[in-house]
Amino acid sequence: MKRMLITLLLSCATVAAPLHAEDKIKVGFANRTLNGAFFNGLTEYMKIHAKERGYELITTDARGDLNKQISDVEDMLSQGINYLVLNPQDPEAGMRITQIAKRAGIPTVILDSDISLDAPVITRVQANNAKNNIAIGEYAVEQFGNNPMNCVIISGNQGNLVGEARRTNFIRGVMEAQLRKYNHSNLTIISQGWGNWDQQGGLKAMEDIIVAQGDKVNCVYSEMDDMALGAILSLKAANRLQNVKVFAHDGYKKGLESIERGELQATASNNPNTLTDTALRIISEYAAGQKDFPDYVYTPTILITKDNVKKIYDADSLF
């Protein structure tokens, strides 16, 4: 009887243990920067969702410096984190950091960035940049019809895999839609600028392009809404916005307001609220014993235009 009682107690303790263990989970979030509404949104929503789950959270800001991000992660590892959520500064730094975490026995989730499939991570949580931007490209063709599209691309930073996926799939969406509808392509990429993922960078990139290209431009694609808002300011100042259609990605609240004003034509959702909630849900599932995850976990694809912006806009959103 005594042996049966001990067995029963051990069995109950085993069942209850994961709940107590989960309460003690400590997560480190290494953000690449806080320069821009999107990156701030990632950190703030990470705090909200970690608190909801009872997780202890440490957050860092690499300030766009890959060496600082490596140092940030090493410091969090020394503080005893159980899981790392990483928004890497670039793919090379991301690979180095995931290897450091692996050597320390700490599982990593990549957030809103891409990284080599050889990287030792649980998964990569991001918007579906292919589907989102193909949809934006197709919508752009609806706006232009069979007229020439003389586009400029405003990108974040060189070597960024997410930015590359966004622009190449926007171009793909445009060209495939033109071929289906008109049996030929009418797209010319006349310039590319680098906006460093923020509004001021987008403004400066667009200013330089206007000086160099003048009236040739009738289309702007930005890899991020915040840079698009800067480009719109520049186009307004040059009295050119009425002749240019602007498209972007992320679903930023101020971008949606710009759609309502008729300045931005379309964007697609890349919501920090959904991204961070998904990343922490995956950690919860991993901690509960699930170990088989796909290479990518995508948030839902939502194209946002003047037709649905009022339904999607949330005045209380942090982003």
Side-chain angles (χ1 to χ4, degrees):
M1 180 70 181
K2 183 176 180 181
R3 181 177 297 173
M4 289 177 62
L5 180 60
I6 291 170
T7 302
L8 179 62
L9 288 171
L10 286 173
S11 175
C12 291
T14 302
V15 171
L19 297 176
H20 294 303
E22 187 172 88
D23 289 342
K24 298 177 183 178
I25 286 176
K26 181 186 287 190
V27 176
F29 174 42
N31 205 347
R32 74 164 86 172
T33 182
L34 292 180
N35 185 23
F38 175 79
F39 299 107
N40 271 291
L42 287 178
T43 291
E44 293 307 312
Y45 277 117
M46 188 69 76
K47 292 175 182 177
I48 290 169
H49 294 307
K51 185 176 181 180
E52 289 171 350
R53 286 173 168 80
Y55 294 171
E56 183 178 347
L57 179 70
I58 304 172
T59 67
T60 59
D61 168 18
R63 301 174 189 168
D65 184 333
L66 67 88
N67 290 317
K68 184 178 185 305
Q69 189 167 54
I70 292 170
S71 177
D72 287 344
V73 170
E74 289 174 336
D75 183 57
M76 288 192 291
L77 292 172
S78 72
Q79 295 182 60
I81 61 171
N82 305 114
Y83 294 90
L84 173 66
V85 179
L86 174 65
N87 180 15
Q89 177 61 27
D90 61 35
E92 179 185 350
M95 178 62 85
R96 290 172 61 187
I97 289 170
T98 58
Q99 289 169 341
I100 291 169
K102 181 184 179 182
R103 288 195 293 271
I106 302 304
T108 300
V109 173
I110 299 296
L111 183 63
D112 188 57
S113 291
D114 210 345
I115 192 171
S116 169
L117 291 174
D118 294 328
V121 301
I122 298 173
T123 189
R124 302 150 184 79
V125 176
Q126 58 181 247
N128 192 323
N129 290 298
K131 286 187 177 181
N132 280 0
N133 288 282
I134 287 172
I136 297 169
E138 291 172 339
Y139 183 78
V141 174
E142 292 180 21
Q143 300 294 294
F144 278 91
N146 197 24
N147 297 311
M149 293 177 62
N150 298 318
C151 285
V152 301
I153 307 291
I154 299 181
S155 298
N157 63 293
Q158 295 188 25
N160 186 279
L161 298 179
V162 167
E164 180 182 344
R166 290 179 183 179
R167 65 179 177 265
T168 56
N169 281 289
F170 170 77
I171 293 168
R172 176 184 171 190
V174 169
M175 296 186 72
E176 290 292 339
Q178 288 176 333
L179 289 170
R180 283 196 305 269
K181 292 186 175 187
Y182 309 114
N183 297 317
H184 67 95
S185 177
N186 214 352
L187 171 67
T188 303
I189 305 299
I190 60 177
S191 187
Q192 181 182 26
W194 301 94
N196 200 32
W197 304 110
D198 64 29
Q199 187 172 139
Q200 187 60 37
L203 186 149
K204 179 64 168 62
M206 193 71 237
E207 283 179 343
D208 293 342
I209 290 169
I210 290 171
V211 170
Q213 302 295 337
D215 294 342
K216 296 178 185 177
V217 180
N218 67 1
C219 163
V220 174
Y221 171 76
S222 169
E223 294 169 7
M224 188 183 211
D225 287 346
D226 216 10
M227 296 189 295
L229 295 175
I232 287 168
L233 290 174
S234 181
L235 288 163
K236 280 183 176 180
N239 196 29
R240 291 282 301 136
L241 183 59
Q242 67 274 16
N243 301 317
V244 180
K245 296 185 186 300
V246 183
F247 307 89
H249 188 278
D250 269 355
Y252 179 30
K253 181 165 69 174
K254 292 186 178 180
L256 303 193
E257 292 167 1
S258 183
I259 290 176
E260 290 195 77
R261 293 192 296 268
E263 299 167 344
L264 183 65
Q265 303 301 308
T267 185
S269 179
N270 186 37
N271 195 318
N273 187 4
T274 307
L275 287 166
T276 52
D277 189 44
T278 302
L280 292 178
R281 173 179 58 79
I282 287 166
I283 285 175
S284 177
E285 292 170 355
Y286 190 94
Q290 181 177 340
K291 297 296 185 283
D292 185 21
F293 292 89
D295 291 329
Y296 294 89
V297 174
Y298 294 119
T299 58
T301 294
I302 304 173
L303 177 68
I304 306 169
T305 71
K306 62 183 180 181
D307 298 325
N308 63 352
V309 66
K310 290 185 183 297
K311 294 180 182 179
I312 293 171
Y313 181 79
D314 178 5
D316 296 325
S317 173
L318 299 179
F319 175 72

